[in-house]
């Protein structure tokens, strides 16, 4: 095959991987944004004196967005590993057209997800949201609501 064509395919493959990683990063950021927004809105609605007993419902969106965020971060880590592995193959002149034409999700997807559960970019935010909700509940309960 023509060397220029192989180079173009390789560059497209690298660009595709970079775009996937960027999208997953944006999805993760969107999870954080939506979590804060929805939890804030639920706090306004549920911390009404008549509805205060339903405060535990707020934990559901916190948990769901935390899991989605960790899922996206785990996938991002997996694609970063694929990206780095591909760059090493290029450096060693060990690529072929089959490597450039497909992206196979292999590796430690579950391990990357579990690492994201305790990541510095996810855990503090979602625990802080849960603690704030709990503290608001305690404050409102002690004030006679």
């Amino acid at each position: 095959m023509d060397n220029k064509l192989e180079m173009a395919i390789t560059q497209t493959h690298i660009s595709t991987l970079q775009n996937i990683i960027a999208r997953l990063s944006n999805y993760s950021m969107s999870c954080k944004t939506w979590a804060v927004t929805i939890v804030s809105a639920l706090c306004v609605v549920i911390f009404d004196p008549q509805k205060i007993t339903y405060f535990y419902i707020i934990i559901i969106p916190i948990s769901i967005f935390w899991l989605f965020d960790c899922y996206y971060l785990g996938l991002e880590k997996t694609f970063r590993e694929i990206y780095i592995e591909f760059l090493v193959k290029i450096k060693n002149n060990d690529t072929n057209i089959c490597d450039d034409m497909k992206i196979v999700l292999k590796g430690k997807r579950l391990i990357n997800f579990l690492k994201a559960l305790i990541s510095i970019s996810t855990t503090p935010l979602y625990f802080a949201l849960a603690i704030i909700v709990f503290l608001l509940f305690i404050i409102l309960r002690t004030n006679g609501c």
Side-chain angles (χ1 to χ4, degrees), residues 24 27 38 51 72 81 83 103 108 115 118 123 130 139:
L24 289 169
Y27 293 158
I38 289 176
K51 301 175 187 171
Y72 291 133
E81 291 169 355
Y83 177 77
I103 298 174
K108 310 170 260 183
K115 285 181 180 178
I118 56 171
T123 307
I139 291 169

Side-chain angles (χ1 to χ4, degrees), residues 1-3 8 19 21 28 45 52 60 62 67-69 76 88-89 91 103 107 132 134-135 139 141 144:
M1 190 176 285
D2 185 8
N3 194 24
N19 289 334
I21 292 167
S28 175
V45 171
I52 192 73
I60 294 169
I62 292 173
L67 291 174
F68 273 127
D69 194 357
E76 181 185 342
V88 168
K89 283 183 178 182
K91 182 180 177 187
I103 298 174
I132 289 169
F134 184 69
L135 290 176
I139 291 169
R141 278 301 222 193

Side-chain angles (χ1 to χ4, degrees), residues 18-52:
Q18 288 173 339
N19 289 334
I20 290 170
I21 292 167
R23 276 196 317 255
L24 289 169
S25 177
N26 287 335
Y27 293 158
S28 175
M29 190 62 191
S30 292
C31 283
K32 291 172 179 68
T33 304
W34 275 100
V36 170
T37 304
I38 289 176
V39 168
S40 299
L42 285 174
C43 283
V44 169
V45 171
I46 290 180
F47 286 144
D48 183 31
Q50 289 82 23
K51 301 175 187 171
I52 192 73

